Amino acid sequence: MREFAYARARSVDAAVALVADNPGARYLGGGTNLVDLMKLGVERPDLLVDVTGLPMHQVTEDGDTLRVGALVRNSDLAAHPVVRERYPALSQAVLAGASGQLRNVATTGGNLVQRTRCGYFTDPTKPCNKRMPGSGCPAIDGEHHNLAILGASDHCVATHPSDLAVALAALDARVDVQDLAGPHEIPLVDFYRPVGDRPDLELTVRDGALVTGVTLPPLPAGARSRYRKVRERASYAFAIASVAAVLVVDDGLVRDVRIALGAVASHPWRARVAERALLDGPAERAAFEAAAEAELDAARPLRDNAYKVPLVRDLIAAVLSDLVERR
């Protein structure tokens, strides 16, 4: 392993200053993604700034708003009584990710900024525009059965692996961030950049920015939520498709709906087309399927991942139908 320096941050300001001044520095929280990438030689930091001693371990309520610190462990987040009661889709998403052992270590903030699991990205012997800009994307003509069908480009077809981020996108969560300019928040759906011609630039934050937490606004009265994940084995596997949905139905009509998709794009994909198609319409399976079809009109599958289009369509319809039936 390549040698690197280590520093234990004493404050958020100090951590941000250390990383912002050193392009080769990385934050270390749970390390469940970063350390793996270091072992593979994909990440080669000069400095690790350990933030685990910072006061970002709490889940706190402020009226009807819930704030989750960036260092809250995934297992603690999933088990938190307020999360389970108000935001069941979030608890379900976290429990669908990784293994129990990893959830005991992985953090909320780290989960959001984890890197893709595309095999070409994680293999330093292969070209990859996300790892080496301008080197090419061999996945387009190579192994891509579980890669993107929405929002990809000729430069990258990788997908974002997070389950948690998909649920947060449907819940209209905001990401709390601090950089050299101070603290601010970003809607989670705006936290990730479109792929474009620079897939190596993944986030909209400035260099050195530290995720300090996530803020969850209250859901509308009568809202129900659910997360459902399809994977190739029953446990400890990344999604081949996932859906997080929030639904409000009144008198048989959809009064509010939010849908986010996972494992289909380089970031959690908010299904705005489907949402607009459903609003104030009948809460029934046929309408859900039609809205999903409208959303997936923009899909551009590759040779071996076209199966995701009908899979995602049926998954959207199934999750929304389930929310109606459970009322």
Side-chain angles (χ1 to χ4, degrees), residues 3-313:
E3 291 186 358
F4 56 87
Y6 170 88
R8 191 168 179 84
R10 302 299 180 185
S11 68
V12 172
D13 288 341
V16 169
L18 281 169
V19 175
D21 288 342
N22 184 347
R26 297 290 184 271
Y27 293 115
L28 177 65
T32 56
N33 183 214
L34 175 61
V35 173
D36 281 348
L37 294 178
M38 290 173 64
K39 291 176 180 178
L40 292 169
V42 175
E43 287 278 6
R44 299 170 64 84
D46 299 318
L47 169 66
L48 291 184
V49 178
D50 188 337
V51 297
T52 56
L54 300 182
M56 302 187 295
H57 295 81
Q58 303 300 316
V59 178
T60 56
E61 295 182 75
D62 182 6
D64 291 332
T65 298
L66 194 70
R67 188 179 187 279
V68 180
L71 292 172
V72 172
R73 305 296 179 180
N74 286 181
S75 54
D76 293 333
L77 179 63
H80 195 280
V82 177
V83 173
R84 294 179 64 186
E85 178 184 355
R86 296 187 197 168
Y87 310 100
L90 180 55
S91 181
Q92 293 160 5
V94 175
L95 291 173
S99 65
Q101 294 92 331
L102 286 173
R103 290 195 297 270
N104 287 339
V105 176
T107 64
T108 299
N111 195 298
L112 298 184
V113 299
Q114 64 183 298
R115 312 295 301 278
T116 183
R117 264 54 176 200
C118 173
Y120 297 100
F121 172 77
T122 57
D123 185 348
T125 69
K126 301 291 194 300
C128 171
N129 284 326
K130 188 177 284 292
R131 183 167 29 78
M132 296 183 297
S135 63
C137 179
I140 292 174
D141 294 319
E143 171 53 50
H144 55 242
H145 87 282
N146 195 23
L147 298 183
I149 59 172
L150 290 166
S153 75
D154 293 338
H155 301 274
C156 183
V157 292
T159 53
H160 195 271
S162 175
D163 295 285
L164 180 149
V166 179
L168 292 177
L171 294 168
D172 282 339
R174 302 185 299 273
V175 183
D176 302 315
V177 174
Q178 184 161 334
D179 55 28
L180 290 177
H184 56 283
E185 61 180 23
I186 306 169
L188 184 127
V189 293
D190 297 328
F191 183 64
Y192 302 98
R193 292 177 181 266
V195 175
D197 60 359
R198 289 296 305 274
D200 57 308
L201 302 177
E202 298 175 342
L203 306 176
T204 59
V205 296
R206 298 177 182 178
D207 290 343
L210 174 64
V211 174
T212 59
V214 174
T215 299
L216 289 161
L219 292 177
R224 293 174 177 265
S225 71
R226 186 173 182 195
Y227 179 81
R228 186 169 173 185
K229 174 179 180 176
V230 178
R231 46 193 166 183
E232 293 177 333
R233 61 176 184 262
S235 65
Y236 195 22
F238 295 102
I240 58 175
S242 66
V243 173
V246 177
L247 185 67
V248 178
V249 175
D250 181 43
D251 197 24
L253 299 177
V254 174
R255 297 307 187 188
D256 198 333
V257 60
R258 306 164 194 183
I259 305 166
L261 309 178
V264 297
S266 64
H267 53 85
W269 184 270
R270 186 69 182 261
R272 302 289 190 186
V273 173
E275 291 172 2
R276 289 193 293 269
L278 288 170
L279 197 60
D280 295 325
E284 57 189 27
R285 177 87 184 206
F288 300 153
E289 290 177 348
E293 289 277 9
E295 184 69 42
L296 292 164
D297 279 346
R300 298 293 180 267
L302 298 169
R303 181 192 66 242
D304 297 329
N305 67 358
Y307 74 93
K308 286 195 176 191
V309 176
L311 174 62
V312 172
R313 178 200 64 212

